[in-house]
Amino acid sequence: MASTCLWALSFGFLMLLSGAMAAAPRKPVDVPFGRNYVPSWAFDHIKYFNGGSEIQLLLDNYTGTGFQSKGSYLFGHFSMHIKMVAGDSAGTVTAFYLSSQNSEQDEIDFEFLGNRTGQPYILQTNVYTGGKGDKEQRIYLWFDPTKAYHTYAILWNLYQIVFLVDDIPIRVFKNSKDLGVKFPFNQPMKMYSSLWNADDWATRGGLEKTDWSRAPFVASYKGFHIDGCEASVQAKYCDTQGKRWWDQKEFQDLDRFQWRRLRWVRSKYTIYNYCTDRVRYPTVPPECKRDGDI
């Protein structure tokens, strides 16, 4: 009995230590739009409020609009508070993503797919490496993203990419280069966001079209947090590698509490996962086993 109790205590202590090696991202620092971002197209479709601490993107039957970060980054923590297009948003896409600027692009995507009034938004995530994506996952959110601001964030380091909604991990993409899977690690990326019309695919595969009588469609933003390793577009490595908070050992993996929350999202809200699509992928992609997606 005594040896059993000792083993249980030792095991619990080891589990506590292993859990302590991982950590949640630091709290974002909210700053005005102009600190980190500039408009990228259709400047007249962006409205500014409260000294630039809040903005709105407008979409009408003439154009959408978007903005991008001033700098390019190799790894970091990026977040935004966003309130999605309300009402009948079918055909619209609100995107928040990192992307490199070359033909063999790397990209890390949040895409919010609008829907008919009363139907839930779909959040699609994707990861592109070397110009190839096809790693889509789709979930329903557990709240109405049009009623209030919610926080969407990307944690990207040499070990993993974590997609977070209100600090809850909804997806993790591990560095599986040892399995022959490409991982974005040597191409600086800018942060982008946009509101645009995609009614050829966004809602029910393009069956639901944008109702332009409801324009302009409006998405609202604030926060504009970036904590990344700023690099020139030609840079191949981060000159502060290993020195930033998001680059430390505790951010090489999720902690146990984060894994439990991720499994909760997967079990209750996932509606599509490329890892389990045997039509597209008769053989399970190797990264899916490491990421716990199957």
Side-chain angles (χ1 to χ4, degrees), residues 14-116:
L14 289 172
M15 290 298 291
L16 183 62
L17 285 178
S18 66
M21 292 173 63
R26 289 185 181 176
K27 183 176 176 59
V29 177
D30 293 346
V31 297
F33 173 81
R35 177 80 60 84
N36 292 321
Y37 289 96
V38 293
S40 51
W41 52 291
F43 293 11
D44 61 339
H45 279 55
I46 302 180
K47 291 185 176 181
Y48 301 85
F49 303 90
N50 303 319
S53 63
E54 183 176 358
I55 69 168
Q56 290 181 345
L57 302 189
L58 309 180
L59 166 66
D60 56 29
N61 57 0
Y62 174 68
T63 185
T65 188
F67 58 89
Q68 66 185 53
S69 62
K70 295 177 179 179
S72 298
Y73 302 89
L74 265 175
F75 311 124
H77 183 235
F78 312 84
S79 75
M80 197 82 69
H81 310 311
I82 310 176
K83 184 162 55 176
M84 299 300 161
V85 175
D88 190 337
S89 58
T92 70
V93 173
T94 306
F96 173 57
Y97 61 102
L98 285 157
S99 182
S100 61
Q101 296 100 56
N102 53 31
S103 58
E104 294 202 355
Q105 87 208 67
D106 291 340
E107 192 167 302
I108 303 168
D109 290 346
F110 274 104
E111 290 182 311
F112 300 87
L113 313 183
N115 217 330
R116 290 293 177 215

Side-chain angles (χ1 to χ4, degrees), residues 11 22 32 68 72 87 90 110 116 123 135 140 229 239 289 293:
F11 179 76
Q68 66 185 53
S72 298
F110 274 104
R116 290 293 177 215
L123 170 53
K135 297 179 178 67
Y140 288 132
C229 178
D239 59 4
K289 297 179 181 179
D293 280 307

Side-chain angles (χ1 to χ4, degrees), residues 74-269:
L74 265 175
F75 311 124
H77 183 235
F78 312 84
S79 75
M80 197 82 69
H81 310 311
I82 310 176
K83 184 162 55 176
M84 299 300 161
V85 175
D88 190 337
S89 58
T92 70
V93 173
T94 306
F96 173 57
Y97 61 102
L98 285 157
S99 182
S100 61
Q101 296 100 56
N102 53 31
S103 58
E104 294 202 355
Q105 87 208 67
D106 291 340
E107 192 167 302
I108 303 168
D109 290 346
F110 274 104
E111 290 182 311
F112 300 87
L113 313 183
N115 217 330
R116 290 293 177 215
T117 302
Q119 298 299 312
Y121 259 81
I122 291 173
L123 170 53
Q124 174 172 285
T125 58
N126 205 349
V127 177
Y128 286 76
T129 53
K132 182 175 175 56
D134 300 329
K135 297 179 178 67
E136 302 93 343
Q137 293 185 7
R138 289 184 173 191
I139 67 169
Y140 288 132
L141 295 165
W142 50 96
F143 53 85
D144 184 342
T146 73
K147 298 296 186 184
Y149 281 101
H150 291 269
T151 305
Y152 307 95
I154 296 168
L155 175 68
W156 169 40
N157 59 32
L158 189 59
Y159 311 100
Q160 63 178 354
I161 298 165
V162 184
F163 297 80
L164 301 115
V165 175
D166 291 339
D167 294 328
I168 297 175
I170 63 160
R171 180 176 185 179
V172 60
F173 184 80
K174 290 286 191 179
N175 187 339
S176 299
K177 292 194 71 176
D178 58 317
L179 301 178
V181 180
K182 290 184 177 180
F183 185 86
F185 75 99
N186 64 352
Q187 296 194 83
M189 293 197 268
K190 286 184 178 290
M191 193 80 227
Y192 296 88
S193 191
S194 58
L195 174 60
W196 50 291
N197 178 49
D199 67 2
D200 57 331
W201 67 271
T203 308
R204 294 185 60 216
L207 294 177
E208 302 285 352
K209 300 301 183 182
T210 304
D211 182 356
W212 293 112
S213 70
R214 297 179 179 272
F217 302 97
V218 179
S220 301
Y221 294 75
K222 60 183 181 179
F224 310 110
H225 165 82
I226 292 178
D227 184 352
C229 178
E230 194 163 0
S232 70
V233 175
Q234 291 78 29
K236 295 294 184 183
Y237 65 93
C238 173
D239 59 4
T240 60
Q241 185 72 37
K243 300 177 182 178
R244 307 293 284 272
W245 68 263
W246 37 259
D247 211 14
Q248 301 307 303
K249 189 171 184 178
E250 60 263 37
F251 299 100
Q252 294 180 16
D253 198 359
L254 303 183
D255 63 26
R256 286 176 295 161
F257 180 63
Q258 289 174 314
W259 276 115
R260 284 200 302 270
R261 298 181 100 180
L262 176 58
R263 286 193 290 269
W264 171 74
V265 172
R266 286 173 172 167
S267 65
K268 291 187 175 293
Y269 297 102

